[in-house]
């Protein structure tokens, strides 16, 4: 018997409506102690998918109007009896209602416990459960779309197809190993190689799409570099639409690395506003510069800002040098002023160049296009399922490894029992991915990263 859990399902700030979700065997009885419908009907007497208007009560007195939604097991998110109480979304009312529900006998849900129950009750597999987490944390359209596809089971379906074939293969092989003298009709060498080859292709395409899609789903670590006063802070403000970094006329004032994520088109850039790169005796400034150089090393994308209203300096040339071999875009700033910059020299050092006036907000669209081109975003196929995280990627990589070994074995004429060991280990990895064979530890770890109420 599942104990009954409850939590606030909506955000932790005031909003129009707040939802308290209750799930478990006693969800209806508990909700009936807190909520009374206008027509006097008990929630426990209602069919699933019914909404009732009424009031919530504390100590016999009503304190807010509310709507109760009733879901009957197994037709609910968790697969259990569920009641969702919608009250006015003030923090006090929402918290109070949760308190009343707990007093009535529910237990406060742990992080991710609703989704964990959905998983344990077979409402979704682990890959889908993980997509719930990415959907909630999606910061951009592309990530949201990819997560939604996953939630719909696109990845799970693909993995199931591979699994089905491998398991079939493995079963026939096991039969062959046990009864080597019998004819095993479904398995011959060419079928085996074909199944392994197809599995390899599918798993490889998942990895490739993950790598192309990582930019979209996880955002891009981006460093903005440039000599002092080139306009880095202003560019960052242009992108974030708010005054996050301090813009001043005094050189070297952006001393630390300020992290900030912004949206550029469908992409999310994790920006670091780096201190101006220049050789400096000043200790604080030098620390900032050290961090900036580290940031260039660790970033996927570099926006190197140049001030077009002045000729190139040694600092600029140092930056050009440090950007070599990196995914870097020369951002020629201050186009609203007269150009004094040796553009040709920059053109030689960078493959991508874009002109902006950060102060006036000109050139954002061009910057967006240049970034997308440079990162190869267009190659990402968003109709294909996308692995949601590193855990899933590792499972697929390990499975791929085993499938490749099995295929090599088959080509080299290795015995079936040896090949079968490799196929079994690929199957294990894929079952871990979907959660059918994931350890308790893995499952707990995944759900502990969810927010409470989900
Ligand atoms: P940082 O040291 O690279 O972060 O440079 P800031 O963003 O602090 O900018 C330095 C100065 O240049 C400030 O006075 C900005 O207002 C000015 N500035 C930045 N971008 C532009 C621009 O596109 N046009 C003009 N005219 N001035 C700019």
């Amino acid at each position: 018997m599942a104990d009954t859990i409850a939590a606030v399902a909506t955000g932790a700030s005031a909003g129009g409506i707040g939802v308290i979700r209750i799930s478990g065997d006693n969800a209806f009885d508990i909700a009936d102690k807190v909520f009374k419908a206008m027509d006097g009907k008990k929630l426990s007497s209602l069919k699933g998918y019914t909404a009732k208007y009424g009031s919530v009560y504390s100590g016999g007195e009503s304190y807010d109007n509310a709507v109760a939604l009733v879901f009957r097991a197994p037709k609910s998110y968790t697969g259990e009896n569920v009641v969702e109480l919608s009250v006015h979304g003030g923090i006090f009312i929402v918290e109070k209602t949760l308190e009343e529900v707990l007093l009535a006998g529910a237990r406060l849900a742990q992080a991710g416990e609703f989704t964990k129950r959905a998983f344990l009750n077979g409402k979704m597999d682990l890959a889908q459960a993980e997509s719930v987490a990415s959907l909630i944390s999606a910061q951009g359209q592309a990530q949201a779309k990819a997560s939604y596809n996953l939630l719909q089971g696109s990845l799970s379906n693909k993995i199931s197809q591979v699994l089905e074939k491998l398991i079939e293969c493995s079963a026939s092989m096991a039969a062959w190993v046990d009864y080597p003298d019998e004819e095993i009709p479904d398995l011959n060498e060419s079928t085996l190689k074909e199944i392994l080859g197809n599995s390899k292709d599918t798993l490889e395409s998942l990895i490739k799409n993950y790598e192309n899609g990582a930019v979209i789903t996880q955002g891009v670590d981006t460093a903005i570099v440039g000599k002092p006063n080139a306009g880095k802070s202003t560019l960052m403000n242009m992108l974030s639409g708010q005054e996050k970094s301090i813009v001043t006329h005094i050189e070297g004032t952006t001393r630390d690395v300020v992290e900030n994520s912004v949206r550029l088109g469908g992409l999310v850039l994790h920006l670091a506003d780096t201190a101006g790169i220049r050789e400096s005796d000043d200790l604080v400034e030098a620390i900032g510069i050290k961090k900036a150089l580290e940031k260039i090393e660790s970033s996927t994308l570099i926006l190197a800002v140049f001030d077009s209203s002045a000729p190139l300096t040694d600092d600029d040339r140092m930056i050009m040098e440090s950007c070599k071999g990196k995914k870097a875009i020369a951002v020629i700033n201050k186009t609203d002023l007269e150009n004094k910059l040796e553009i040709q020299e920059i053109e030689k050092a960078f493959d991508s160049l874009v002109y902006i006036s950060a102060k006036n907000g000109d050139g954002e669209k061009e910057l967006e296009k240049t970034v997308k081109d440079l990162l190869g975003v267009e190659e990402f196929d968003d109709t294909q399922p996308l692995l949601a995280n590193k855990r899933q990627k590792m499972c697929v990589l390990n499975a791929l490894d085993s499938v490749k070994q099995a295929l090599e074995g088959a080509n080299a004429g290795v015995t079936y029992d040896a090949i079968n060991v490799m196929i079994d280990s690929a199957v294990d990895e894929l079952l871990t991915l979907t959660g059918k064979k994931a350890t308790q530890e893995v499952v707990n770890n995944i759900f502990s990263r969810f927010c409470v109420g989900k």
Side-chain angles (χ1 to χ4, degrees):
M1 200 170 116
D3 63 343
T4 301
I5 54 172
V8 177
T10 39
S13 55
I17 285 173
V19 175
I20 294 89
R21 186 188 257 166
I22 312 166
S23 177
D25 291 348
N26 294 329
F28 301 145
D29 291 339
I30 288 172
D32 273 328
K33 290 187 196 160
V34 179
F35 173 88
K36 305 246 177 303
M38 288 287 271
D39 62 7
K41 286 229 169 81
K42 291 256 181 220
L43 298 178
S44 48
S45 70
L46 300 177
K47 285 195 296 197
Y49 302 132
T50 311
K52 279 283 163 197
Y53 179 64
S55 304
V56 275
Y57 285 76
S58 171
E61 250 180 72
S62 65
Y63 61 89
D64 192 14
N65 299 329
V67 171
L69 272 174
V70 170
F71 302 86
R72 280 203 176 262
K75 293 185 176 172
S76 71
Y77 181 72
T78 56
E80 304 173 334
N81 286 341
V82 168
V83 175
E84 287 182 6
L85 292 174
S86 302
V87 294
H88 286 114
I91 294 169
F92 174 76
I93 295 285
V94 173
E95 288 291 325
K96 184 178 174 61
T97 308
L98 175 63
E99 230 174 271
E100 291 299 327
V101 169
L102 298 181
L103 278 175
R107 162 174 74 71
L108 184 64
Q110 291 164 359
E113 200 172 357
F114 292 97
T115 310
K116 186 177 178 179
R117 287 184 174 201
F119 163 65
L120 293 176
N121 290 326
K123 299 295 287 187
M124 56 177 79
D125 68 19
L126 211 48
Q128 286 171 302
E130 281 173 318
S131 66
V132 174
S134 13
L135 197 55
I136 293 172
S137 63
Q139 291 179 309
Q141 168 71 21
Q143 186 186 1
K145 187 171 173 192
S147 309
Y148 182 64
N149 277 342
L150 264 192
L151 182 60
Q152 299 304 95
S154 61
L155 175 66
S156 311
N157 290 341
K158 193 141 234 173
I159 295 289
S160 299
Q161 285 162 15
V162 175
L163 264 173
E164 204 177 298
K165 288 281 170 206
L166 290 180
I167 289 172
E168 239 175 70
C169 222
S170 164
S172 314
M173 281 183 154
W176 183 86
V177 170
D178 289 343
Y179 308 100
D181 299 331
E182 306 273 326
E183 267 290 299
I184 306 291
D186 296 339
L187 192 74
N188 58 48
E189 208 178 301
S190 67
T191 324
L192 172 66
K193 284 182 190 166
E194 191 188 319
I195 290 175
L196 290 173
N198 290 342
S199 305
K200 175 174 156 280
D201 291 347
T202 306
L203 298 176
E204 268 173 353
S205 77
L206 283 174
I207 295 290
K208 188 159 164 259
N209 214 36
Y210 176 79
E211 275 156 10
N212 289 336
V215 159
I216 287 175
T217 52
Q218 290 154 28
V220 193
D221 284 330
T222 308
I224 300 181
V225 295
K227 70 181 172 198
N229 273 334
K232 298 178 295 298
S233 315
T234 315
L235 169 61
M236 183 159 160
N237 290 340
M238 170 176 115
L239 294 175
S240 56
Q242 48 185 300
E243 301 276 315
K244 275 264 169 71
S245 47
I246 316 139
V247 182
T248 58
H249 294 280
I250 309 154
E251 289 197 355
T253 42
T254 319
R255 294 214 147 143
D256 225 344
V257 177
V258 184
E259 301 282 351
N260 185 23
S261 294
V262 298
R263 265 193 289 272
L264 186 66
L267 286 178
V268 175
L269 305 186
H270 305 297
L271 293 183
D273 184 5
T274 51
I277 292 186
R278 60 170 187 170
E279 282 152 8
S280 166
D281 301 332
D282 175 68
L283 189 62
V284 182
E285 181 67 16
I287 293 169
I289 288 169
K290 191 164 165 277
K291 277 198 187 172
L293 286 172
E294 283 168 11
K295 202 74 202 172
I296 291 188
E297 278 312 308
S298 65
S299 297
T300 310
L301 174 70
I302 297 151
L303 303 179
V305 185
F306 295 92
D307 179 349
S308 70
S309 69
L312 282 173
T313 61
D314 291 346
D315 291 347
D316 289 320
R317 295 195 168 92
M318 192 175 114
I319 289 159
M320 283 158 64
E321 195 55 37
S322 68
C323 287
K324 279 206 177 126
K326 300 246 152 211
K327 285 204 162 121
I329 296 172
V331 180
I332 316 292
N333 186 34
K334 310 197 187 181
T335 52
D336 53 302
L337 303 176
E338 192 194 335
N339 181 61
K340 297 199 175 124
L341 195 64
E342 302 88 330
I343 305 279
Q344 281 177 341
E345 202 178 325
I346 298 180
E347 273 173 344
K348 276 190 205 139
F350 291 85
D351 291 337
S352 306
L353 222 83
V354 61
Y355 294 87
I356 68 162
S357 166
K359 196 174 175 179
N360 298 344
D362 292 338
E364 193 169 332
K365 275 271 163 264
E366 290 74 9
L367 183 60
E368 180 186 325
K369 189 177 175 318
T370 313
V371 167
K372 283 187 169 166
D373 286 349
L374 190 67
L375 296 176
V377 170
E378 306 305 339
E379 285 171 31
F380 170 64
D381 182 355
D382 68 3
T383 61
Q384 287 298 312
L386 185 65
L387 302 168
N389 52 35
K390 287 213 171 78
R391 184 193 76 87
Q392 296 185 358
K393 181 191 171 190
M394 281 322 293
C395 290
V396 173
L397 268 183
N398 292 341
L400 178 60
D401 222 34
S402 300
V403 167
K404 277 184 183 164
Q405 282 183 35
L407 190 58
E408 277 165 25
N411 285 330
V414 170
T415 56
Y416 275 1
D417 49 347
I419 294 174
N420 208 15
V421 170
M422 295 159 200
I423 294 184
D424 278 349
S425 101
V427 166
D428 267 6
E429 287 295 337
L430 296 180
L431 289 176
T432 307
L433 192 159
T434 59
K436 288 217 175 71
K437 229 179 178 170
T439 61
Q440 197 61 35
E441 202 183 339
V442 168
V443 171
N444 288 344
N445 181 297
I446 287 169
F447 289 104
S448 69
R449 280 178 272 137
F450 275 59
C451 45
V452 174
K454 199 59 227 175

